[in-house]
Amino acid sequence: AILAKNEQLRANLLRAISHDLRTPLTSISGNASILLSGGEVIDESTRQQLYANIHDESIWLINLVENLLSVTRIEDGRMNLNPSAELIDEIIDEALRHVNRRSMEHKITVVKEKDYSLVHADAKLIVQVLINLIDNAVDAMEAVPEGKRRLSITLGENVKQYTFRVENTGERIPEDIRANIFIPGFTTKGEGHGMGLHIVRRTLRDRGGEIEVRSDENTTVFSGFVPKHNAKGG
């Protein structure tokens, strides 16, 4: 039973990786092919857009590699906290620099629950969590009319933990899907989900944190926390 479960997890992981790789690689290949075959006759603005698309998809692949490395470190028990004094605004800016360019097409609101600018945290952890959640929210808003797309990021802290919430407009996620949305390779409507949400949950749980999802008719909220210190070396 254990072997069968591990084999299923491996199959889910491979399906999730394939899902995350296919779109950016297809885009990079297609845009590069256009530039190679007709670069001299393409106007400058179109050429610059093709360059930008290749760059954005490359950044997406870099983030995917970071996710894969995170999975490896978690499985090997090498995922340790590296807290340091960081400006919260710089953490948010770093996350936004690495998300898909499509996120810039939406109105993103950043809310800090208290007026602080310096936190003692693992900045790389928070950045990776935010990148995956923002990218997921952008994907979820594709079917939402442009004027109604809203995405907000809320960060807070108390004595024991840092808290976060990412909220976006979009269709309600059915309860049965919410129960499985963090499983890599879980499929809905015939299409597989990538690794992003799985990485978020595994990374947070490895540090004693947690994440949950709520969804109503037009809003989805991912909220969670990570302890400032925990038994696994933070």
Side-chain angles (χ1 to χ4, degrees):
I2 294 174
L3 288 174
K5 182 179 180 180
N6 288 339
E7 196 61 36
Q8 183 60 51
L9 289 173
R10 185 179 295 108
N12 287 343
L13 187 59
L14 288 173
R15 184 161 56 242
I17 294 172
S18 298
H19 173 272
D20 281 351
L21 283 172
R22 185 180 300 113
T23 299
L25 287 176
T26 299
S27 176
I28 290 172
S29 176
N31 289 324
S33 178
I34 293 172
L35 288 168
L36 287 170
S37 62
E40 295 122 6
V41 298
I42 298 174
D43 63 85
E44 184 60 25
S45 62
T46 301
R47 188 183 298 111
Q48 290 301 319
Q49 183 60 55
L50 292 172
Y51 289 146
N53 291 342
I54 291 173
H55 174 267
D56 291 345
E57 298 299 350
S58 298
I59 295 297
W60 175 264
L61 289 174
I62 290 172
N63 291 335
L64 173 59
V65 171
E66 287 295 325
N67 281 341
L68 290 172
L69 290 174
S70 293
V71 170
T72 302
R73 294 188 189 109
I74 290 171
E75 297 296 340
D76 292 345
R78 295 183 288 110
M79 199 76 165
N80 297 316
L81 281 173
N82 296 295
S84 60
E86 302 285 348
L87 291 171
I88 193 66
D89 291 326
E90 290 186 358
I91 292 175
I92 295 172
D93 288 344
E94 179 70 13
L96 292 176
R97 276 196 298 271
H98 285 79
V99 297
N100 194 293
R101 182 180 292 268
R102 288 177 304 150
S103 67
M104 300 300 103
E105 301 171 3
H106 309 302
K107 177 179 174 58
I108 299 179
T109 303
V110 178
V111 179
K112 291 179 288 186
E113 292 184 344
K114 55 187 293 189
D115 187 20
Y116 59 86
S117 59
L118 196 68
V119 296
H120 192 70
D122 185 337
K124 187 174 182 179
L125 161 68
I126 298 176
V127 167
Q128 187 176 26
V129 166
L130 289 177
I131 288 172
N132 282 310
L133 289 177
I134 293 169
D135 279 335
N136 178 75
V138 170
D139 286 340
M141 290 194 293
E142 285 188 355
V144 178
E146 283 195 28
K148 297 184 178 181
R149 296 175 183 175
R150 296 290 184 273
L151 198 168
S152 66
I153 306 166
T154 304
L155 299 175
E157 75 170 301
N158 54 43
V159 175
K160 296 182 178 180
Q161 61 196 23
Y162 297 105
T163 62
F164 63 87
R165 183 168 68 250
V166 175
E167 180 175 341
N168 65 270
T169 52
E171 294 182 357
R172 177 180 177 273
I173 302 175
E175 188 172 347
D176 59 330
I177 293 178
R178 293 201 299 271
N180 296 287
I181 202 168
F182 296 101
I183 299 174
F186 173 71
T187 59
T188 57
K189 299 180 181 179
E191 183 176 352
H193 285 276
M195 296 175 55
L197 294 179
H198 171 67
I199 293 297
V200 169
R201 185 173 69 173
R202 285 296 304 270
T203 302
L204 292 175
R205 285 185 172 180
D206 188 62
R207 289 167 166 78
E210 189 53 273
I211 184 172
E212 64 177 13
V213 57
R214 304 191 313 276
S215 185
D216 58 26
E217 290 183 3
N218 53 25
T219 304
T220 296
V221 180
F222 285 88
S223 58
F225 70 89
V226 60
K228 292 183 176 179
H229 304 282
N230 65 60
K232 291 197 175 185

